[in-house]
Amino acid sequence: MSVITLLTDFGLQDPYVGIMKGVILSIQGDARIVDVTHQIPPQDVVQASLYLQSAYRFFPTGSVHICVVDPGVGSDRSIIAAETERFKFLAPDNGLLPPVLANEGIKIIVRVENPKYTLQPVSRTFHGRDIFAPVGARLAAGLALQELGPSIDVKKMVEPAIPEPVFKTPETLCGTILAVDHFGNLITNVKPADIEQLRSMPENDIRVDLAGRFIDGLAESYDSVAKERPLAIIGSLGYMEIAVNCGNAMLYFNLKKGDPVRLTTRKKAFGQTA
Amino acid sequence: MSVITLLTDFGLQDPYVGIMKGVILSIQGDARIVDVTHQIPPQDVVQASLYLQSAYRFFPTGSVHICVVDPGVGSDRSIIAAETERFKFLAPDNGLLPPVLANEGIKIIVRVENPKYTLQPVSRTFHGRDIFAPVGARLAAGLALQELGPSIDVKKMVEPAIPEPVFKTPETLCGTILAVDHFGNLITNVKPADIEQLRSMPENDIRVDLAGRFIDGLAESYDSVAKERPLAIIGSLGYMEIAVNCGNAMLYFNLKKGDPVRLTTRKKAFGQTA
Amino acid sequence: MSVITLLTDFGLQDPYVGIMKGVILSIQGDARIVDVTHQIPPQDVVQASLYLQSAYRFFPTGSVHICVVDPGVGSDRSIIAAETERFKFLAPDNGLLPPVLANEGIKIIVRVENPKYTLQPVSRTFHGRDIFAPVGARLAAGLALQELGPSIDVKKMVEPAIPEPVFKTPETLCGTILAVDHFGNLITNVKPADIEQLRSMPENDIRVDLAGRFIDGLAESYDSVAKERPLAIIGSLGYMEIAVNCGNAMLYFNLKKGDPVRLTTRKKAFGQTA
């Protein structure tokens, strides 16, 4: 039994995801298929990359992670298969995979080219069905990656889609809102390591600036502030999120994906513990 | 093979549900995971409780039902595991479980405390991943509930979240709209037993009052009225629903969750059969 | 192991789909259940028929396809079970099935009547749970269709729900937009064979007329036009679609399901290859 995960922007209203599962089960009848999500905003490689990073490590060793967020379907962009110690990954070469591969370490990485393992003919509109599903099913069945195509040079892969936050000064970090989740939480590109670096400054309390509205300190849980009050927290995806206790931060701050977030340091106020 | 059901307010746009499934399959590789729904409105314990009641009994004996609608994540609310003759249940102590436990009869009920069966460390933002998924997987694998923590006193559990309808007089029942489903059907908290009690009155036909608009009698099927016409019916969730044949009752009546519904009795009109 | 697919208009916010899966797994514990989609617009038999056609063939031989888009639930419409060389189908007799049965060729077709294989009592509001799920599970387990009820005359089935495009002249084809997908692609009822027929005319290039705005030629892939530009293409569902490269054709053209699309022929422009 092997687990195959699917992460796409296909949505759930059309038969596209079901068709991919049909193709997979036609090849690998005992695959366990798990949806990570199919509601990535169309062609949003940044969010796809963020969500893959947050999810992949929680699956059983041996899982095959298939990601189809693919603005370039039908063009000459490559499709990449990579194997790490624990997992296999299949995705377009569009900046989606680099962060997870950097985390996990690459054992083998190839360009998917061998027509023997795709549906025939391959359409130019639905590579999820014609390439990703059958190739992913065969990877789950144990096919060696070398069968799929030539090794590639990691340095020539498209660069990571997720922007890194930037230190303007040692006390000032400029980040970005990468995604807004179902609860209205604003997920930023600021990582715990960035926070630690700010906290190494002499005035070491964190102030978060959201378009001129401020949150002081990082919270440990949603209910560490009163209901309907905002907080900053290292969220369950591993990044700093802006949330509102029992509320919706997107509506509270009227912010959206791509908007900036700025972190500065300040002297910790007397009696403040967060 | 064991069935694990998931009922949450996590939505499907983010990786949260997929991550829970990854954790479950990492522990219990042959679990069959079924989504009841993940689109409970955020923190709506009433709808979660209603939907669990409607669904749980249709699953195979031995199924583990995991419910994560949890306004108190990270606070000191308890998590409860309960075993009945046919099923196991795992949910926060927030009023979600009492109706199904009253239906089924409790064999064992404990507070989930043993860190041996959770992910480590347990975050304060995502107990679905860190507690509910791994504990539910172990229950499906046969772990005895007593391993999870101490027995609790059922009387000290948080009271049922679903409000009971109230008889203002023997002929007047005041109920509430608990939820609006995908078709726009208005699902109330009025049960068949309440209707029977009204029907034991001398003038025993039912009149439903929806903010001053009336429906007379209970229908047996949607098409017992003309297309686009409203009806009251005991719906498939086991409660009285207000529907519109081939239409949308929410839009027809301009009503929403929490709005009142009033039932009175009247003399059955000549020739009326419903 | 048998595959059961589900195609409904139940949506995902309510427990209806989960309940069907519970009933299926209670009868056929090792069934692999795959969602084709549950987000058919309520009672839209045309889109259900289109999506079934696009999806069914990609599933393993032996799969049971259950379709519950059923404006007539509780009325006296029939439920049909059909067996072809490769698949079994279960759906209301409302025009949903004829196109796939015409493709595949019918071996056996019956009206589902035998109460032995349904839940008891059968409600008049939720045949998905009470009839389709248990009967589909038994078909997957190998039950002979003849057990379900009497053979029916295919000619007396309700006619196909999908309208055929009409040739007004040999050079003018009038079609219809059948559905708008998640990406905003406009899926028409024009098939490759219709295009071939137009292309057999002396002036054999295709012009697509969308409410007075024109697309010349059929594209081979989305990126054969510039970003944000429209194109016509044989889409992955097997019909002509109107798309916008990295954009949304529904918004671009301000068109919707049911709107007309007209194809005419013209002399191929010099240097044009599409």
Side-chain angles (χ1 to χ4, degrees):
Chain A
M1 202 219 58
S2 48
V3 172
I4 295 175
T5 78
L6 300 179
L7 174 64
T8 80
D9 62 356
F10 292 169
L12 292 171
Q13 73 175 73
D14 305 309
Y16 305 130
V17 171
I19 289 170
M20 284 185 69
K21 293 177 180 176
V23 171
I24 289 170
L25 292 174
S26 296
I27 291 170
Q28 174 71 349
D30 69 346
R32 301 294 302 273
I33 307 170
V34 179
D35 303 306
V36 173
T37 181
H38 300 289
Q39 298 188 343
I40 298 291
Q43 290 122 18
D44 187 340
V45 179
V46 171
Q47 186 169 320
S49 191
L50 171 69
Y51 281 10
L52 176 64
Q53 269 185 83
S54 314
Y56 80 92
R57 77 188 74 215
F58 292 101
F59 286 85
T61 296
S63 296
V64 177
H65 296 294
I66 302 179
C67 309
V68 199
V69 176
D70 191 10
V73 61
S75 73
D76 60 358
R77 64 91 185 87
S78 300
I79 295 173
I80 289 174
E83 185 169 353
T84 68
E85 196 63 36
R86 299 170 57 205
F87 300 112
K88 293 170 187 166
F89 297 91
L90 189 62
D93 181 13
N94 61 14
L96 200 161
L97 280 186
V100 297
L101 298 181
N103 282 350
E104 291 289 304
I106 300 169
K107 284 174 59 184
I108 314 170
I109 185 163
V110 302
R111 180 182 299 118
V112 176
E113 287 186 351
N114 192 339
K116 184 172 162 190
Y117 302 110
T118 64
L119 296 198
Q120 291 301 337
V122 169
S123 73
R124 293 182 66 175
T125 53
F126 194 5
H127 286 183
R129 174 190 66 195
D130 301 336
I131 303 178
F132 289 92
V135 169
R138 289 184 169 101
L139 289 176
L143 181 75
L145 270 73
Q146 292 87 342
E147 290 289 310
L148 294 172
S151 287
I152 61 166
D153 181 349
V154 177
K155 291 188 218 96
K156 292 189 178 157
M157 283 178 67
V158 172
E159 296 198 349
I162 297 181
E164 288 287 324
V166 175
F167 279 92
K168 294 284 177 179
T169 73
E171 294 95 355
T172 309
L173 180 66
C174 294
T176 297
I177 296 170
L178 295 179
V180 181
D181 81 3
H182 169 70
F183 296 97
N185 297 325
L186 308 170
I187 304 165
T188 76
N189 62 345
V190 176
K191 294 182 290 293
D194 302 318
I195 305 278
E196 285 320 300
Q197 195 167 333
L198 283 172
R199 280 185 170 152
S200 68
M201 293 295 107
E203 301 196 339
N204 67 355
D205 196 29
I206 303 294
R207 163 165 280 189
V208 181
D209 176 354
L210 295 147
R213 297 168 75 181
F214 299 95
I215 298 173
D216 286 330
L218 251 67
E220 296 287 329
S221 78
Y222 295 129
D223 75 338
S224 63
V225 300
K227 284 204 177 187
E228 309 294 338
R229 296 296 304 163
L231 64 143
I233 191 167
I234 300 301
S236 47
L237 302 183
Y239 288 83
M240 188 186 81
E241 298 178 13
I242 310 303
V244 167
N245 185 21
C246 290
N248 184 307
M250 177 182 66
L251 300 177
Y252 186 98
F253 287 105
N254 193 24
L255 291 173
K256 62 182 189 308
K257 182 172 66 179
D259 283 343
V261 53
R262 210 168 64 109
L263 278 74
T264 54
T265 59
R266 58 193 282 273
K267 199 180 285 182
K268 186 167 286 203
F270 177 76
Q272 187 185 337
T273 58
Chain B
M1 201 219 58
S2 47
V3 172
I4 295 176
T5 78
L6 300 179
L7 174 64
T8 79
D9 61 355
F10 293 169
L12 293 170
Q13 73 176 72
D14 305 308
Y16 305 129
V17 171
I19 290 171
M20 283 186 69
K21 293 178 180 176
V23 171
I24 289 170
L25 293 173
S26 295
I27 291 169
Q28 173 71 348
D30 69 347
R32 304 292 302 274
I33 307 171
V34 179
D35 303 306
V36 174
T37 180
H38 299 288
Q39 298 188 344
I40 298 292
Q43 290 120 17
D44 187 340
V45 179
V46 171
Q47 186 170 320
S49 191
L50 171 69
Y51 281 10
L52 177 65
Q53 270 184 83
S54 313
Y56 79 92
R57 78 188 74 216
F58 293 100
F59 286 85
T61 296
S63 296
V64 177
H65 296 294
I66 303 179
C67 308
V68 199
V69 176
D70 191 10
V73 62
S75 74
D76 59 359
R77 65 92 185 85
S78 299
I79 295 174
I80 288 172
E83 185 168 354
T84 68
E85 195 63 35
R86 299 171 56 205
F87 300 111
K88 292 170 187 167
F89 297 91
L90 189 61
D93 181 13
N94 60 15
L96 200 161
L97 281 186
V100 297
L101 297 182
N103 282 350
E104 291 289 304
I106 300 170
K107 284 174 59 185
I108 313 171
I109 185 163
V110 301
R111 179 181 299 118
V112 176
E113 288 185 352
N114 192 338
K116 184 172 161 188
Y117 301 111
T118 64
L119 296 199
Q120 291 300 337
V122 170
S123 74
R124 293 183 66 176
T125 54
F126 194 5
H127 287 182
R129 174 190 66 196
D130 301 337
I131 303 178
F132 289 94
V135 169
R138 288 183 169 101
L139 288 176
L143 181 75
L145 270 74
Q146 292 87 343
E147 290 291 308
L148 293 172
S151 288
I152 61 166
D153 181 349
V154 177
K155 291 189 217 94
K156 291 187 179 158
M157 283 177 66
V158 172
E159 296 199 349
I162 297 182
E164 288 288 323
V166 175
F167 278 92
K168 294 284 178 179
T169 74
E171 293 94 355
T172 309
L173 181 66
C174 294
T176 298
I177 296 170
L178 295 180
V180 181
D181 80 2
H182 169 69
F183 296 98
N185 297 325
L186 308 169
I187 304 165
T188 76
N189 62 345
V190 176
K191 293 181 292 293
D194 302 318
I195 306 278
E196 284 320 298
Q197 195 168 333
L198 282 172
R199 280 185 171 154
S200 68
M201 293 295 107
E203 301 197 339
N204 67 353
D205 196 28
I206 302 295
R207 163 166 280 189
V208 181
D209 177 353
L210 295 147
R213 296 169 74 182
F214 299 95
I215 297 173
D216 286 331
L218 251 68
E220 297 286 330
S221 77
Y222 295 129
D223 75 338
S224 63
V225 299
K227 284 203 177 188
E228 308 296 337
R229 297 296 304 163
L231 63 144
I233 192 167
I234 300 301
S236 47
L237 302 183
Y239 288 84
M240 189 185 80
E241 299 180 11
I242 310 304
V244 168
N245 185 21
C246 290
N248 184 308
M250 177 183 65
L251 300 177
Y252 185 98
F253 286 105
N254 193 25
L255 292 173
K256 62 182 189 309
K257 183 171 65 179
D259 283 344
V261 53
R262 209 168 64 110
L263 277 75
T264 54
T265 59
R266 57 193 282 274
K267 199 179 285 182
K268 186 167 286 203
F270 178 75
Q272 188 186 339
T273 58
Chain C
M1 200 220 58
S2 48
V3 171
I4 296 176
T5 79
L6 299 179
L7 174 64
T8 80
D9 62 354
F10 293 169
L12 293 170
Q13 73 175 73
D14 305 309
Y16 304 130
V17 172
I19 289 170
M20 284 186 69
K21 293 178 180 176
V23 171
I24 290 170
L25 292 174
S26 295
I27 292 169
Q28 175 70 349
D30 69 347
R32 303 294 302 274
I33 307 171
V34 179
D35 303 306
V36 174
T37 181
H38 299 289
Q39 298 187 343
I40 299 292
Q43 290 121 19
D44 187 339
V45 178
V46 171
Q47 186 169 319
S49 191
L50 171 70
Y51 281 10
L52 177 65
Q53 270 184 83
S54 313
Y56 79 91
R57 77 189 75 216
F58 293 101
F59 286 85
T61 297
S63 296
V64 177
H65 297 293
I66 303 179
C67 309
V68 198
V69 176
D70 191 10
V73 61
S75 75
D76 60 358
R77 65 89 185 87
S78 299
I79 295 173
I80 289 173
E83 185 168 355
T84 69
E85 195 63 35
R86 299 171 57 207
F87 301 111
K88 293 170 187 168
F89 297 90
L90 189 62
D93 181 13
N94 60 15
L96 199 161
L97 281 186
V100 296
L101 298 181
N103 281 350
E104 291 289 304
I106 299 169
K107 284 174 58 186
I108 314 170
I109 185 163
V110 301
R111 179 181 299 118
V112 176
E113 288 186 352
N114 192 338
K116 185 173 161 188
Y117 301 110
T118 63
L119 296 199
Q120 290 302 336
V122 170
S123 74
R124 294 182 66 175
T125 53
F126 194 5
H127 287 183
R129 174 191 66 195
D130 300 337
I131 303 177
F132 289 93
V135 169
R138 288 183 169 101
L139 289 175
L143 181 75
L145 270 73
Q146 292 87 341
E147 290 289 308
L148 294 172
S151 287
I152 60 165
D153 181 349
V154 176
K155 291 188 218 96
K156 291 189 179 158
M157 283 177 67
V158 173
E159 296 198 351
I162 296 182
E164 288 288 323
V166 176
F167 278 92
K168 294 284 177 178
T169 75
E171 293 95 355
T172 309
L173 180 66
C174 294
T176 297
I177 296 171
L178 295 181
V180 181
D181 80 3
H182 169 69
F183 296 97
N185 297 325
L186 307 170
I187 303 166
T188 76
N189 62 344
V190 176
K191 293 181 291 293
D194 302 318
I195 306 277
E196 284 320 298
Q197 195 168 334
L198 282 172
R199 280 186 170 151
S200 67
M201 294 294 107
E203 301 195 341
N204 66 355
D205 197 28
I206 302 294
R207 164 166 280 190
V208 181
D209 176 353
L210 295 147
R213 296 168 75 180
F214 299 95
I215 298 172
D216 286 330
L218 252 67
E220 297 287 330
S221 76
Y222 295 130
D223 74 338
S224 63
V225 300
K227 284 202 177 188
E228 308 294 339
R229 296 296 305 162
L231 64 142
I233 192 167
I234 301 301
S236 48
L237 302 183
Y239 289 82
M240 189 185 81
E241 298 178 13
I242 310 303
V244 166
N245 185 20
C246 290
N248 184 307
M250 177 182 66
L251 301 177
Y252 186 98
F253 286 105
N254 193 24
L255 292 173
K256 61 182 188 310
K257 184 171 64 179
D259 284 343
V261 53
R262 210 168 64 108
L263 278 74
T264 55
T265 60
R266 58 193 282 274
K267 199 179 286 182
K268 187 167 285 202
F270 177 76
Q272 187 185 341
T273 58

